[in-house]
Amino acid sequence: MTGGHRRILVVEDDPETAGQLVEELTTSGYEVDLAANGREALSHGVARDYAVITIDRMLPDIDGITVMRQLRDDGIAAPFLIISALGEVDDRVRGLRAGGDDYLVKPFSFVELLARLEALGRRSETIAKETLLRVGDLAIDLIARSASRRGRKIPLLPREFQLLEYLVRNEGRVVSRAMLLQHVWDLHFDPSTNIIDVYVGRVRRKVDDSQDYPLIHTIRGIGYCLRAPG
């Protein structure tokens, strides 16, 4: 990990293990926050930007897999390194399928832990470079789940952000109401419902009102297209 992005969240309930991890990681040049249980992990996880989160599967209140899933649902994209005494193949597979990016079985070598953290950190930096999308003067941050035009923040509800993100990812293409229903709402029913028009109207007012030019265009009888002039 390079630059200032060397902060790690360690989620570990065993005081001895936690102390060793914090000491070794700090000595190795990392900034470390410690969470002793699932609730603390959830609080820390959404409050700061972490290069990597290490997490024990067996926590005293909320199990590690539930914590990972909740943080993923909250839009946290930091890679998770699961550190657990549960080392059977089924345990590792379940952890990885639940959102973990790597799995380290206790007891482990600290040298191996560092190598895995460095690998996950490099991947995190690469992903971070790909999480800001722009069309004209519109920018959307996929990590912060925020949008702005000319630097001015646009207040969007979660579903509105999903709708705008889909339009931005399909810049210049016409997307039908049926496509929006499927990809934003995960629904497959009659596209004549007006839920799409209602939401597009809300997003258009927030994105285009009082701006130099509109980005969201209605393609009569087909759907919508997001594009900048020129």
Side-chain angles (χ1 to χ4, degrees):
M1 277 166 269
T2 59
H5 200 49
R6 292 179 64 88
R7 181 172 291 277
I8 293 176
L9 174 61
V10 171
V11 186
E12 173 61 62
D13 67 305
D14 178 67
E16 183 177 353
T17 302
Q20 290 174 348
L21 283 173
V22 171
E23 181 179 357
E24 294 280 3
L25 289 170
T26 301
T27 301
S28 299
Y30 292 98
E31 298 177 62
V32 184
D33 291 337
L34 176 63
N37 55 55
R39 294 185 187 281
E40 289 183 10
L42 292 173
S43 178
H44 280 294
V46 298
R48 305 199 71 157
D49 179 25
Y50 292 102
V52 181
I53 298 174
T54 73
I55 188 164
D56 191 349
R57 277 194 53 179
M58 295 183 292
L59 297 171
D61 51 353
I62 309 171
D63 68 90
I65 284 180
T66 300
V67 171
M68 282 195 308
R69 285 175 172 157
Q70 181 60 58
L71 288 173
R72 286 286 185 247
D73 288 345
D74 289 339
I76 303 304
F80 284 94
L81 171 59
I82 302 170
I83 301 177
S84 177
L86 302 174
E88 297 297 323
V89 172
D90 287 348
D91 295 319
R92 299 198 302 270
V93 168
R94 182 166 179 250
L96 294 171
R97 285 181 172 171
D101 297 273
D102 200 356
Y103 201 108
L104 187 60
V105 179
K106 297 178 180 179
F108 55 86
S109 160
F110 188 74
V111 173
E112 181 181 3
L113 171 66
L114 279 180
R116 290 174 184 257
L117 288 175
E118 290 291 346
L120 290 173
R122 289 193 296 271
R123 187 189 311 172
S124 178
E125 289 176 348
T126 300
I127 291 171
K129 294 176 183 176
E130 300 171 352
T131 56
L132 189 65
L133 305 180
R134 295 184 181 275
V135 177
D137 58 7
L138 171 70
I140 67 171
D141 186 326
L142 302 179
I143 300 298
R145 311 299 286 175
S146 62
S148 62
R149 282 195 74 171
R150 302 173 66 184
R152 186 172 183 179
K153 190 172 181 179
I154 302 168
L156 294 170
L157 298 173
R159 186 75 73 182
E160 294 170 349
F161 183 88
Q162 288 178 271
L163 173 60
L164 181 61
E165 178 187 347
Y166 186 75
L167 291 172
V168 168
R169 288 187 181 277
N170 288 276
E171 175 191 359
R173 302 189 188 98
V174 178
V175 295
S176 67
R177 291 172 176 82
M179 291 168 65
L180 289 170
L181 274 175
Q182 179 179 349
H183 292 285
V184 179
W185 277 265
D186 195 26
L187 298 175
H188 303 268
F189 56 76
D190 184 0
S192 64
T193 176
N194 72 344
I195 188 173
I196 299 298
D197 302 306
V198 170
Y199 269 83
V200 171
R202 291 179 186 172
V203 173
R204 174 182 273 145
R205 284 191 294 274
K206 293 182 178 183
V207 171
D208 286 341
D209 278 4
S210 303
Q211 298 293 335
D212 293 339
Y213 54 84
L215 290 172
I216 301 173
H217 305 270
T218 300
I219 310 302
R220 190 174 299 277
I222 303 176
Y224 302 93
C225 178
L226 186 144
R227 64 174 182 267

